[in-house]
Amino acid sequence: MAEWFESVAEAHRRARRRLPKSVYLALVAGSERGSTLEDNIRAFGELGFAPRVADLPSERDLSTSVMGQELSLPVLASPTGVQAVHPEGEVAVARATAEAGTAIGLSAFGSRAVEDVAEANPMTFFQVYWVGDREKVLGRAQRAKAAGAKGLIVTLDWCFATGRDWGSPPIPEKLDLRTKLGFAPQGLLRPRWLRGFLRHGLPDLTTPNMVPRGEEAPTFFGAYGQWMFTPPPTWEDIAWLREQWGGPFMVKGITHPADARRARDIGATAISVSNHGGNNLDSTPATIRLLPAIVEAVGDDIEVLLDGGVRRGSDVVKALALGARAVLIGRAYLWGLAAEGQAGVRNVLDVLRNGIDSSLLALGRSSVHDLSPEDLIVPPDFGREIRS
């Protein structure tokens, strides 16, 4: 089919052709010079495989569980902010992930209500940043729980280092007439993207999940401004939120073994080894380099996930071989969403599923749970262990 693509790289190419320049640049951006963003991808290529050629399994099991949810493959949709790449945004992602038998993470900075997303995919994890006081943070979490969210993700890896050496794409606070006229030339150059939004309405730059249901949603930058002036949370705050939530709880943004142990000690269900896709503190090593030391620090006491740089099924297998339970993807599914909407997200997940299955076959492993460091060739200088 003409709409089908065989790789995440092809989804990326199509997204670039179909998105207005400023929207595309916002997707591919990394902080400062982008060294962390580049290392997230490059590091996977430094890991080799040790394949086998006989007595290979005729069937392979890709299923796993994350925060109490049974998944058909070890890949989840990571929470990302306002998804102006497609009119249906997070709802299209929710439908696609539900079709694929996996979970979606919905950002509190997302553009679609948690009630709509959870209805489209019952395996919804709701993500919060520490914005406002304890009661405001808890209010968002309680709204998500009432909507049916199965787990809470608190994201901590953000220090507002958003400067980029090559310049940042302009993101408007609201789409008033002046803003629309300013962006019109970009939209006219991408008629398919423009037709979709004219049919369904222009991108919603508000954040409906930042307030109780029924209240007027703040703009993205209004919520962001409140976040900037909120004191960073303490581990005591995070422990309090976990207790108040009372269900599966993930701490996202771990790169330091000491933080992994603190997350474990407060009773978190899971952690995600993450550097915010290269959008936090630049020069932080790739997450796959840091993963082994973090797995060693917390052992089997907590579920360890990884995000950052995953573009192929073989990348997923490498992360699992080094101790991750599953991975979260961000840009990969957003490119699929931009390319073909809901079908494009499902396409990306199918590409990754096929790549995982092929890698398991070549390695002689019948299950993702059988993978180990013995399946990899790891260069002596690959890891980046942080002393703690």
Side-chain angles (χ1 to χ4, degrees), residues 130-288:
W130 198 268
V131 182
D133 59 24
R134 282 186 172 189
E135 295 309 312
K136 287 187 180 297
V137 175
L138 181 59
R140 296 177 197 117
Q142 290 174 331
R143 174 181 172 178
K145 180 173 283 189
K150 298 297 192 296
L152 190 69
I153 302 172
V154 57
T155 296
L156 302 180
D157 57 335
W158 190 257
C159 63
F160 302 98
T162 56
R164 302 181 179 105
D165 288 3
W166 45 267
S168 300
I171 302 174
E173 181 171 355
K174 57 184 178 179
L175 285 175
D176 54 18
L177 178 60
R178 180 177 180 180
T179 301
K180 291 175 183 178
L181 291 173
F183 278 87
Q186 290 187 41
L188 292 173
L189 290 173
R190 297 294 186 265
R192 180 173 174 179
W193 179 89
L194 183 61
R195 280 197 305 272
F197 276 105
L198 290 176
R199 189 180 306 119
H200 295 89
L202 287 170
D204 189 353
L205 298 182
T206 61
T207 54
N209 301 309
M210 294 294 290
V211 293
R213 191 176 187 185
E215 291 191 9
E216 183 177 357
T219 65
F220 178 88
F221 278 104
Y224 190 87
Q226 183 185 3
W227 183 19
M228 289 182 70
F229 291 101
T230 297
T234 65
W235 278 112
E236 182 181 352
D237 290 324
I238 305 304
W240 171 85
L241 181 60
R242 188 207 62 77
E243 292 171 0
Q244 295 296 315
W245 172 256
F249 187 92
M250 180 189 297
V251 178
K252 186 174 183 291
I254 300 294
T255 57
H256 200 296
D259 286 338
R261 289 189 287 268
R262 291 299 297 269
R264 176 199 61 194
D265 293 345
I266 67 167
T269 313
I271 59 174
S272 179
V273 182
S274 172
N275 53 38
H276 219 102
N279 276 296
N280 192 36
L281 182 63
D282 201 28
S283 297
T284 303
T287 51
I288 191 68

Side-chain angles (χ1 to χ4, degrees), residues 297-361:
V298 295
D300 298 325
D301 298 338
I302 193 169
E303 297 176 9
V304 179
L305 286 81
L306 174 139
D307 73 80
V310 174
R311 302 291 185 268
R312 300 169 180 82
S314 58
D315 295 340
V316 179
V317 169
K318 290 172 181 178
L320 270 55
L322 291 179
R325 190 180 191 91
V327 305
L328 298 109
I329 58 170
R331 290 180 177 90
Y333 80 75
L334 290 174
W335 292 330
L337 181 64
E340 298 293 343
Q342 177 181 335
V345 177
R346 176 63 191 272
N347 193 158
V348 165
L349 291 168
D350 286 345
V351 166
L352 296 177
R353 185 192 304 274
N354 293 338
I356 297 168
D357 186 66
S358 298
S359 299
L360 287 179
L361 174 61

Side-chain angles (χ1 to χ4, degrees), residues 9-84:
E10 176 58 22
H12 185 180
R13 285 190 285 270
R14 295 188 189 189
R16 185 171 188 173
R17 290 198 299 266
R18 293 178 183 177
L19 292 175
K21 182 179 179 180
S22 58
V23 177
Y24 172 76
L25 289 176
L27 277 188
V28 298
S31 60
E32 296 186 343
R33 61 182 179 183
S35 59
T36 295
L37 172 65
E38 294 173 359
D39 195 39
N40 275 348
I41 300 168
R42 181 175 58 246
F44 279 105
E46 296 177 18
L47 293 169
F49 280 124
R52 310 305 292 267
V53 296
D55 294 327
L56 305 181
S58 58
E59 297 182 358
R60 279 80 57 196
D61 180 11
L62 277 60
S63 64
T64 192
S65 64
V66 172
M67 296 214 293
Q69 300 302 302
E70 298 296 326
L71 311 180
S72 70
L73 76 165
V75 180
L76 299 77
S78 186
T80 62
V82 175
Q83 296 180 2

